[in-house]
Amino acid sequence: MKGAEFIENMIKYCIPSVFSAVVGILVIPIITDIYPTDEYGKINLFYSVANTISTFAILGFDSAYLRFYYEPPKGYNSHRILKVSLYVGIITSLGLFLICRLFFADPISYYLFGERNDVLLAGMLIYIIGIVLMKFVGYEYRMGQNARMYNWSQIASLFTNRIIFVCFAAISTSYIWGDWAIALSTFAIGVLFLCMVERKKIHFEFPSYFFSASTLELFKFGFPLMPVALMVWLNNSVAKFLYSYFKDYSAIGTFSIATSIANIFSIVPAAFTTYWSPFIYKNYKTERDFIKKTHDYIVLASIWLQMIFWAFQDVLYNFVGGEYKESQEIFLLIMINPILSLISETTCYGIMLAKKTKYNLYISLVSFIINLIITYVTYSAMGILGASVGVSIAALVQFVIKTLIGQRYYGTISVPLKTAFTVGVIILVSVLNIRFYTNFVMRVAVIFLVIVYSAVIYKDNLGEIRVFVKNAIKEWRRQ
């Protein structure tokens, strides 16, 4: 595959990621100026808990949908897999809600809101179903290569999750208004997009395939991956869930802002992963050299993007107000998670291709336990700094183990030492930020050293980039 063709295809799916980054930058000043840390903490906790539960509720059928979209099992087509996935997600969500409402309403309500609020528990069910709908609608557009509708669905999802609750701040900054705004808008948008997906495919049939051996095949593939996806959310939310246990909603708010700023980096992994996942499954047999080359470019892009954040963090934090400013020392530590997540997209697909999904479960569980222990032990002495250390160490452990196993089944790294050293530099810079985030001279010195390092280690890749840019300019001039 030509690099230009790959980049062009990837750019088609990056619009929601760019939109997300812009929204994050614009909304953060409003949140930090208007919302008290404890109220925003409760809103963010509502979002994290609902997404975690929805990840469990679909029982891994999201992974099965992606894996079998092009190669459906007997009796299935891609649309039937979509229907079964939605049935599973909605029915499981309803079952979980009934159990919680009948037997655990009081402790769950106090955990989430610090008070009894049964009505808002029902609001969470509505929100979870909306998340399930939007998740599979996005997959349908993405796998069908309908970039335009995929982008619109993701932008709508970003609006309901990241923007709409801020619009109600003029009425009230209470978490109740914010949670209901998120829940109802996500459900409404989910139903709307599902109707758009289904309008050309509606036909009535008894879902006899639901009880077939092929459904069991989907379940056997996807279910072992569900805990992996669940652990991703738990790993990202360990601090929030623990701080809620301690009723420290203000710490949740501050840590959430640091995570939001760190996740601006996710503009790249989100755009890349959206196109990369279907590309790998479709081309892993024929495009191995291209995949290896892509790995080097991704690692290089990761360290350069980190340098941009390292250099311009003061600009970002000029827009952050109140108690939220204390998160500046930790945001680069939290950023290690999305950075390594991006790099691992080019190192660990061997696990999936070899259908050794059990390894993903074991690795994610180890990572989660490490994160949980570090965050819990350091809560009293280090606060959110301890939580950020937990996130970064857990992310590193997960990356290293998954990469080692993934490379065993499908090698994508040409020079392992080069990747290892670069990841080490990324981690070192994140740690240095704790001490030197206010020292501009030190930051400039580190940037210079990293530029020299990357120019030497990745000189061949930089040469290819220069040739690509020159050819692109020549092509543009001809037009």
Side-chain angles (χ1 to χ4, degrees):
M1 170 171 278
K2 295 180 179 179
E5 181 186 351
F6 180 82
I7 292 172
E8 182 182 350
N9 288 334
M10 191 178 73
I11 287 174
K12 291 178 183 178
Y13 293 90
C14 78
I15 294 174
S17 302
V18 174
F19 183 78
S20 177
V22 172
V23 165
I25 294 170
L26 295 177
V27 170
I28 284 171
I30 300 172
I31 292 173
T32 56
D33 284 340
I34 295 177
Y35 278 93
T37 52
D38 58 338
E39 293 297 321
Y40 177 65
K42 291 178 182 178
I43 293 172
N44 200 273
L45 181 67
F46 183 82
Y47 164 84
S48 296
V49 170
N51 275 277
T52 302
I53 294 173
S54 70
T55 302
F56 172 81
I58 56 182
L59 302 181
F61 271 77
D62 54 338
S63 298
Y65 179 80
L66 294 174
R67 177 63 183 88
F68 292 100
Y69 184 90
Y70 292 111
E71 301 172 347
K74 184 178 179 181
Y76 270 90
N77 53 40
S78 61
H79 191 60
R80 282 183 171 180
I81 300 176
L82 173 67
K83 283 184 176 181
V84 167
S85 301
L86 290 174
Y87 292 153
V88 168
I90 293 171
I91 292 170
T92 307
S93 298
L94 287 168
L96 290 172
F97 170 74
L98 289 175
I99 293 171
C100 293
R101 179 64 185 83
L102 293 174
F103 304 107
F104 306 105
D106 198 62
I108 291 175
S109 189
Y110 274 93
Y111 174 82
L112 290 172
F113 316 122
E115 60 185 359
R116 184 70 184 257
N117 195 329
D118 292 347
V119 177
L120 198 50
L121 286 179
M124 177 165 283
L125 170 65
I126 294 170
Y127 184 32
I128 291 169
I129 293 175
I131 293 170
V132 171
L133 296 179
M134 288 303 294
K135 182 186 290 286
F136 283 102
V137 163
Y139 286 157
E140 175 73 11
Y141 287 137
R142 171 179 159 188
M143 298 302 287
Q145 299 185 12
N146 188 339
R148 184 174 67 88
M149 289 307 299
Y150 173 80
N151 289 337
W152 277 116
S153 69
Q154 297 309 295
I155 289 171
S157 184
L158 287 166
F159 176 79
T160 62
N161 285 288
R162 303 276 296 278
I163 300 175
I164 196 164
F165 77 91
V166 178
C167 299
F168 285 85
I171 301 173
S172 174
T173 57
S174 167
Y175 75 92
I176 297 175
W177 281 85
D179 289 351
W180 273 113
I182 293 171
L184 294 176
S185 61
T186 300
F187 180 80
I189 291 295
V191 171
L192 174 63
F193 273 95
L194 181 63
C195 290
M196 293 170 68
V197 165
E198 291 284 334
R199 73 180 187 275
K200 294 180 180 179
K201 301 178 181 179
I202 291 178
H203 61 278
F204 299 99
E205 61 176 353
F206 180 74
S208 55
Y209 54 87
F210 188 88
F211 305 100
S212 66
S214 295
T215 304
L216 186 60
E217 182 182 353
L218 294 173
F219 180 79
K220 284 182 176 179
F221 176 85
F223 186 73
L225 291 173
M226 178 274 292
V228 178
L230 189 63
M231 290 300 167
V232 170
W233 270 103
L234 288 172
N235 255 328
N236 292 335
S237 307
V238 162
K240 300 175 192 177
F241 295 163
L242 274 179
Y243 292 165
S244 181
Y245 171 77
F246 293 121
K247 298 295 183 287
D248 194 350
Y249 297 107
S250 292
I252 296 174
T254 305
F255 186 81
S256 298
I257 286 296
T259 303
S260 296
I261 294 173
N263 282 342
I264 293 173
F265 176 90
S266 297
I267 177 178
V268 178
F272 177 74
T273 304
T274 299
Y275 179 70
W276 185 249
S277 181
F279 176 85
I280 281 284
Y281 285 130
K282 193 174 182 180
N283 300 286
Y284 70 93
K285 293 179 181 177
T286 58
E287 298 284 356
R288 193 161 188 165
D289 290 339
F290 179 80
I291 290 168
K292 286 184 176 182
K293 188 176 290 188
T294 301
H295 166 76
D296 285 338
Y297 283 117
I298 288 297
V299 177
L300 178 60
S302 296
I303 195 168
W304 278 7
L305 284 168
Q306 187 199 37
M307 287 304 101
I308 292 173
F309 280 95
W310 167 262
F312 295 103
Q313 60 179 286
D314 292 335
V315 177
L316 280 173
Y317 270 88
N318 276 337
F319 297 100
V320 177
E323 300 173 52
Y324 298 96
K325 278 188 178 293
E326 67 184 73
S327 64
Q328 185 171 356
E329 68 174 341
I330 66 166
F331 88 102
L332 273 185
L333 273 180
I334 298 173
M335 193 180 287
I336 288 175
N337 188 24
I339 290 174
L340 295 184
S341 177
L342 169 61
I343 297 174
S344 70
E345 285 292 321
T346 63
T347 64
C348 67
Y349 261 93
I351 298 173
M352 300 288 285
L353 295 173
K355 298 183 180 180
K356 303 291 184 179
T357 53
K358 61 181 180 181
Y359 289 125
N360 279 324
L361 173 58
Y362 301 151
I363 296 166
S364 298
L365 184 59
V366 169
S367 175
F368 168 71
I369 292 171
I370 290 171
N371 193 357
L372 181 65
I373 291 173
I374 293 174
T375 303
Y376 182 83
V377 170
T378 60
Y379 170 71
S380 298
M382 299 174 66
I384 59 174
L385 175 58
S388 62
V389 171
V391 168
S392 57
I393 292 178
L396 179 60
V397 169
Q398 180 166 273
F399 169 76
V400 170
I401 301 175
K402 286 180 75 172
T403 295
L404 290 173
I405 298 175
Q407 292 303 294
R408 177 185 173 188
Y409 292 107
Y410 187 78
T412 59
I413 303 176
S414 299
V415 187
L417 234 95
K418 182 166 69 174
T419 297
F421 275 123
T422 306
V423 169
V425 172
I426 289 170
I427 293 167
L428 177 61
V429 171
S430 299
V431 172
L432 287 174
N433 190 65
I434 300 172
R435 175 67 179 82
F436 297 109
Y437 72 92
T438 58
N439 190 327
F440 183 75
V441 175
M442 175 61 77
R443 299 212 311 260
V444 171
V446 170
I447 291 169
F448 174 76
L449 291 174
V450 170
I451 290 173
V452 172
Y453 167 82
S454 59
V456 173
I457 299 297
Y458 291 94
K459 63 179 180 179
D460 293 339
N461 302 94
L462 292 172
E464 290 177 351
I465 292 173
R466 281 195 294 271
V467 171
F468 175 81
V469 171
K470 284 182 181 179
N471 291 337
I473 292 172
K474 286 180 182 178
E475 186 68 27
W476 177 74
R477 284 175 177 172
R478 286 196 195 105
Q479 295 175 358

